[in-house]
Amino acid sequence: MTGLNTVMTPINTLGIFLMWLMVIPIIFGLSLRVPKLVATGFIVVLFLFSSSTWGQLQAENTIYARGVGMFYFSLLNLALLIAGVATFVRKLANPYSTHLNLPLGKYFLAFVFLLFSHVVLGLMSGVDIFDILGYNGIINILNMLVFMYLVVMAFHNERDTRHLLYTIIALAAVRALFGIIRYVWFDGDSANPYKNFENLDIKILFFDIADNFIASLAAFCAAWLLTSREVRLSLLKRLMLCAFLVLEIAAVALSFRRSSLVGLALMFALLLYRLPGASKWKFLLLGLGMLWVTALVFFQQRLQFNIGDNTGGILSSLIYDIAPEKNLNDNRFYELFAAAKSLGDNWLFGLGSWGTFSGDQELLGYHFGKFDFVHSGFGHIILKAGLVGLLLFCLLLVAYTSYYFRHRKYLNGNARLIADAGFAGFLFWVPTLLIGTPIIEFRSMLLIGLTLAMPFVAVSLEKYRVRTYVVA
């Protein structure tokens, strides 16, 4: 029987490989003919399926890891790259098409060149190609940009953008309801490091930061619709949006992620900034009330375990692991110190996509012996690609921010909502880019790509309206 299994394994592997070869032209063709369908398919997967297994007692494969054993890259990643090639072919076939303009194209080419340089230098140094292109390197920056372009080129008229908006809201509602049901009746998310690793009596709704982003993005859209003077809503619709807003904020609050709460606050600060005088004060009072309730729940359910002898209250317990009075060995930033020390004289170009750092094994025990990433998106880029890589990434974000503020004043209706939601989503990710690990997370980086795409989609919609009006 063992011999039969030995024979069948290569046969099954070959069958799956041949089946995938047949799928490639299908994905390519769909990306050429109906890119909106392909982009929507990716969004459905990203919104409904978690990628985080950290904190589980028994790790399990997610949809984002399927195919890694056979192709090294996941099947979803391969599908994204195929769709990206098809998008590029569409651009070559229609070089003068206004809705196929590549935003931030020079940064895309710069990161392609940077990654290619890592491949060449890594192979010359005897590094395995799969270590160079591993997910703990910088390849997810390329995945982020590919998905961004896929979304930008898939949604470009009124019907498309309305479809995108409804899809985001509907999927976020489904995901939040799933989380609430699991939290109330099934002990919450199984990926719970506070309970499983630290033995704290805490249930959490979602540990994956991407789920917190989805809930925050949906909450922002609901709040935008409720406060906008451009939108006229019936009483029933307003009540439904209010219930939806509470549901999504509860999803964030009951996940007990500090970076998520800060990110959500930044999103609503943007909305507050955009509101006119009287509405601004009403929203400020309402927002402060909701923030206080959220902080109170957060403190009672999680931060109470971090107080110890600390008498500083909520704020001091919120920064318990980075408090100034802690020495370096007890501080969350020891990891970044160890990584910076390991860089040596390689600050300009980093240690390469395959690079690792070293430090105290006991203090870094939560790495479980893998020192090829750090808990800072910006710090991770420096480790892998140096200050040159960080400069490229920051210039990309600056160009994106400039584009949003330059065009936002000319937008209205759904276009303005999509642009605002996109930039608010970017603000949500800023704390995670500072102290989290988004660069090594395929799902997180694609969702960042979605937020980067949304203002460009909005501007494309406004240009489409102008062209339609002129023709008419």
Side-chain angles (χ1 to χ4, degrees):
M1 195 69 177
T2 303
L4 179 60
N5 289 336
T6 304
V7 173
M8 290 300 294
T9 299
I11 295 177
N12 291 337
T13 301
L14 179 61
I16 295 173
F17 179 75
L18 292 175
M19 183 180 68
W20 181 245
L21 287 179
M22 291 187 290
V23 170
I24 290 176
I26 296 175
I27 298 174
F28 191 88
L30 289 174
S31 300
L32 285 175
R33 299 300 301 272
V34 280
K36 182 175 70 173
L37 179 63
V38 176
T40 301
F42 274 102
I43 292 172
V44 169
V45 172
L46 293 170
F47 272 57
L48 295 185
F49 296 95
S50 175
S51 64
S52 178
T53 58
W54 168 253
Q56 288 184 335
L57 291 175
Q58 293 182 336
E60 56 190 38
N61 284 334
T62 67
I63 191 172
Y64 304 98
R66 300 295 182 187
V68 169
M70 180 178 300
F71 300 102
Y72 192 79
F73 294 112
S74 69
L75 295 178
L76 199 62
N77 200 162
L78 291 173
L80 174 66
L81 295 176
I82 294 168
V85 172
T87 301
F88 181 65
V89 170
R90 286 180 65 215
K91 173 61 180 175
L92 293 178
N94 301 276
Y96 302 107
S97 176
T98 55
H99 73 269
L100 291 181
N101 291 329
L102 284 175
L104 309 180
K106 58 185 177 183
Y107 298 105
F108 175 82
L109 294 176
F111 274 108
V112 169
F113 177 77
L114 182 63
L115 192 58
F116 177 74
S117 300
H118 282 206
V119 171
V120 173
L121 293 173
L123 292 176
M124 290 175 61
S125 302
V127 182
D128 190 282
I129 182 66
F130 295 126
D131 291 331
I132 301 171
L133 297 178
Y135 287 114
N136 282 6
I138 60 171
I139 193 171
N140 278 330
I141 298 178
L142 181 63
N143 287 329
M144 174 195 78
L145 291 170
V146 170
F147 187 62
M148 172 191 171
Y149 294 139
L150 178 62
V151 172
V152 169
M153 295 187 183
F155 304 97
H156 56 87
N157 59 40
E158 188 78 48
R159 182 178 178 182
D160 289 345
T161 49
R162 190 164 54 246
H163 167 83
L164 175 61
L165 183 60
Y166 290 163
T167 299
I168 289 173
I169 292 175
L171 293 176
V174 170
R175 187 64 180 166
L177 287 172
F178 164 77
I180 291 291
I181 292 171
R182 184 177 60 176
Y183 181 85
V184 174
W185 286 289
F186 299 98
D187 207 30
D189 196 342
S190 60
N192 185 349
Y194 315 120
K195 180 178 181 180
N196 296 333
F197 296 163
E198 302 175 28
N199 296 317
L200 303 180
D201 185 20
I202 299 177
K203 286 197 303 183
I204 59 175
L205 202 76
F206 295 120
F207 182 73
D208 194 334
I209 196 72
D211 286 313
N212 287 249
F213 162 73
I214 291 166
S216 299
L217 183 67
F220 180 89
C221 291
W224 193 98
L225 290 168
L226 287 168
T227 57
S228 174
R229 292 183 174 181
E230 302 177 38
V231 181
R232 296 290 181 266
L233 299 171
S234 65
L235 178 60
L236 178 60
K237 288 182 178 179
R238 285 190 170 275
L239 291 175
M240 291 176 63
L241 277 175
C242 286
F244 179 71
L245 177 61
V246 171
L247 171 68
E248 299 299 340
I249 291 179
V252 177
L254 295 174
S255 296
F256 307 120
R257 300 297 302 270
R258 289 174 293 175
S259 56
S260 297
L261 287 179
V262 176
L264 181 64
L266 291 175
M267 295 177 78
F268 278 79
L270 174 69
L271 184 58
L272 179 65
Y273 170 73
R274 292 300 188 187
L275 289 176
S279 300
K280 182 176 295 188
W281 289 110
K282 292 178 183 177
F283 182 78
L284 179 60
L285 291 175
L286 177 63
L288 287 175
M290 297 184 71
L291 181 62
W292 173 251
V293 173
T294 301
L296 190 62
V297 171
F298 192 87
F299 178 78
Q300 290 179 339
Q301 295 298 316
R302 180 188 170 190
L303 296 183
Q304 58 172 318
F305 298 104
N306 301 324
I307 298 176
D309 298 328
N310 197 338
T311 58
I314 293 180
L315 180 60
S316 59
S317 58
L318 187 66
I319 58 171
Y320 69 97
D321 52 354
I322 57 174
E325 63 270 13
K326 284 182 172 288
N327 62 53
L328 183 61
N329 290 345
D330 293 330
N331 200 300
R332 180 187 179 103
F333 293 138
Y334 169 75
E335 176 192 49
L336 298 180
F337 170 78
K341 190 175 179 180
S342 298
L343 275 168
D345 297 326
N346 299 300
W347 280 88
L348 190 58
F349 295 106
L351 300 178
S353 296
W354 61 93
T356 61
F357 71 99
S358 60
D360 188 292
Q361 297 281 336
E362 184 177 349
L363 294 176
L364 298 171
Y366 54 90
H367 271 263
F368 293 101
K370 294 186 64 176
F371 300 107
D372 52 358
F373 71 95
V374 294
H375 285 77
S376 169
F378 295 127
H380 183 85
I381 295 174
I382 294 177
L383 178 69
K384 303 292 183 171
L387 295 176
V388 171
L390 179 64
L391 179 63
L392 280 176
F393 191 73
C394 290
L395 285 175
L396 183 152
L397 298 182
V398 168
Y400 162 78
T401 302
S402 173
Y403 185 91
Y404 165 74
F405 281 104
R406 192 166 65 251
H407 290 87
R408 196 264 180 189
K409 57 189 173 186
Y410 302 113
L411 304 176
N412 58 75
N414 284 341
R416 176 170 288 188
L417 169 55
I418 289 173
D420 287 348
F423 188 72
F426 162 68
L427 293 179
F428 173 92
W429 285 110
V430 169
T432 304
L433 284 167
L434 288 171
I435 63 171
T437 58
I439 305 297
I440 66 173
E441 299 166 3
F442 179 81
R443 185 191 188 200
S444 294
M445 291 303 285
L446 261 62
L447 288 172
I448 293 177
L450 175 64
T451 67
L452 296 181
M454 291 172 74
F456 294 101
V457 171
V459 173
S460 177
L461 168 60
E462 198 62 31
K463 290 180 179 178
Y464 174 83
R465 286 172 174 167
V466 172
R467 292 195 304 271
T468 304
Y469 176 78
V470 171
V471 171

